[in-house]
Amino acid sequence: MSKRSWALFAATLVSIIYGVTFTIAKDVMPKYVDAFGFIVMRVGGSVLLFWLISFFGPKEKIAKEDFPRIVAAAFFGVAFNMLTFFKGLSYTSPIMGAVLMVTTPMIVLVLSAFIMKERMENRKVLGIILGLAGTITLILYGKSLINATNASLGNLLVFVNAVSYGFYLIIVKKLMDKYNAFTFVKWIYTFGFLMVLPFGWGEFQAIDFANLPTDIIWKIGFVVVFSTFLTYLLNLVSMRELKPTTVAVFIYLQPLFATIFAVSLGKDDLSLVKLISAVLIFVGVYLVTQKK
């Protein structure tokens, strides 16, 4: 398998894992673990795994001038990203959360235009407008009657998370070009853990570990090991061979996997508002990503 084929396979596997995570994490929150307490476990467990595996990786020293970029990647890719996503997911439904995440590729293109000075075409601008129209429709009107306590706030937080992740994809690319993934990812998660700890420590202490059902413990383990540790490694592998916008494109697969998984388990339903919003978003995404 070529390096590019492996990168594409890794990106696809990430989409499958994230698609399943929408429903699995929803089973844990907020009944057994509140959102920010879950993040402390997720990031804390991943920090241990990343440091452990780094001892078997290449030995590189990070230049002092690169630490501000690592701190920024930790903020946008770990702390702010996870805090808004998990809190949003605890309020909204799995399908709406997944559909909102497909705005990330459009956000990456917008950020690239402002940060990297890439030229934006009229077709892409139209796609962004359509995609945002679908997103706003979900935020304001896409209230689910199933498994959503505050859909409007939840959808808004998931959208903010998508913006944060867009910043992360652009920031981390330069680190990928300079260092091996094992060299800096442990630092990204270390700084990220320090950032989320003040927000989630109280909720973490409130967890009744002694009475957690066995299936919930397994689901927490899945989110820590697969949805966090493994997906971040796979994302870094794919980003070494692919452009940030290409990696972001694979987010389009997440709603498909999330919808199949959630509906098959009876965790969510499909409504006309969700379908119309999804069509607007996917048409926008199509216009943005098509080449001439």
Side-chain angles (χ1 to χ4, degrees), residues 15 102 105-106 248-256 282 285 288-289:
S15 295
V102 303
M106 292 183 289
V249 163
F250 282 85
I251 291 175
Y252 307 159
L253 297 176
Q254 291 184 24
L256 173 63
F282 282 119
V285 164
V288 167
T289 57

Side-chain angles (χ1 to χ4, degrees), residues 69-90:
R69 180 174 290 273
I70 288 176
V71 172
F75 177 77
F76 289 110
V78 179
F80 192 59
N81 175 36
M82 290 189 185
L83 289 171
T84 52
F85 173 71
F86 269 67
K87 182 60 76 172
L89 188 59
S90 69

Side-chain angles (χ1 to χ4, degrees), residues 19-260:
V20 172
T21 300
F22 281 103
T23 298
I24 290 180
K26 188 69 179 177
D27 290 340
V28 178
M29 302 180 302
K31 183 176 181 180
Y32 298 100
V33 180
D34 284 325
F36 291 173
F38 200 179
I39 291 173
V40 168
M41 286 195 294
R42 182 180 182 181
V43 180
S46 297
V47 166
L48 296 177
L49 291 173
F50 281 126
W51 274 96
L52 193 62
I53 200 173
S54 69
F55 292 112
F56 302 96
K59 309 302 178 185
E60 292 178 302
K61 187 176 181 181
I62 296 177
K64 291 182 178 179
E65 60 268 19
D66 289 326
F67 272 100
R69 180 174 290 273
I70 288 176
V71 172
F75 177 77
F76 289 110
V78 179
F80 192 59
N81 175 36
M82 290 189 185
L83 289 171
T84 52
F85 173 71
F86 269 67
K87 182 60 76 172
L89 188 59
S90 69
Y91 289 141
T92 190
S93 67
I95 288 179
M96 285 195 289
V99 172
L100 279 166
M101 282 300 297
V102 303
T103 60
T104 299
M106 292 183 289
I107 293 168
V108 171
L109 283 170
V110 172
L111 294 177
S112 297
F114 284 100
I115 298 175
M116 304 173 70
K117 307 301 181 184
E118 291 185 6
R119 182 175 173 270
M120 296 208 42
E121 303 168 7
N122 293 334
R123 171 176 48 81
K124 293 184 178 181
V125 174
L126 175 60
I128 289 170
I129 293 173
L130 288 175
L132 288 179
T135 301
I136 293 172
T137 302
L138 271 182
I139 291 174
L140 296 180
Y141 304 107
K143 297 182 179 180
S144 174
L145 299 177
I146 296 180
N147 224 15
T149 56
N150 190 342
S152 297
L153 177 59
N155 292 339
L156 178 60
L157 289 173
V158 173
F159 177 66
V160 170
N161 151 78
V163 176
S164 177
Y165 190 68
F167 272 110
Y168 164 76
L169 288 177
I170 293 175
I171 291 171
V172 81
K173 180 60 178 174
K174 287 190 176 181
L175 293 173
M176 286 298 306
D177 294 338
K178 190 173 182 179
Y179 301 104
N180 184 280
F182 294 107
T183 302
F184 65 82
V185 70
K186 61 186 179 183
W187 288 109
I188 287 179
Y189 263 79
T190 299
F191 287 120
F193 180 69
L194 295 176
M195 292 175 188
V196 302
L197 193 59
F199 294 93
W201 181 245
E203 293 183 1
F204 175 76
Q205 287 183 308
I207 300 172
D208 186 7
F209 287 99
N211 294 315
L212 283 179
T214 303
D215 66 311
I216 296 300
I217 294 174
W218 279 106
K219 288 176 180 179
I220 292 173
F222 177 90
V223 173
V224 172
V225 177
F226 291 95
S227 305
T228 312
F229 173 71
L230 182 60
T231 55
Y232 265 75
L233 283 181
L234 290 173
N235 258 335
L236 292 174
V237 167
S238 61
M239 286 190 67
R240 183 171 290 279
E241 300 297 328
L242 306 173
K243 295 180 179 180
T245 49
T246 305
V247 174
V249 163
F250 282 85
I251 291 175
Y252 307 159
L253 297 176
Q254 291 184 24
L256 173 63
F257 298 128
T259 301
I260 293 173

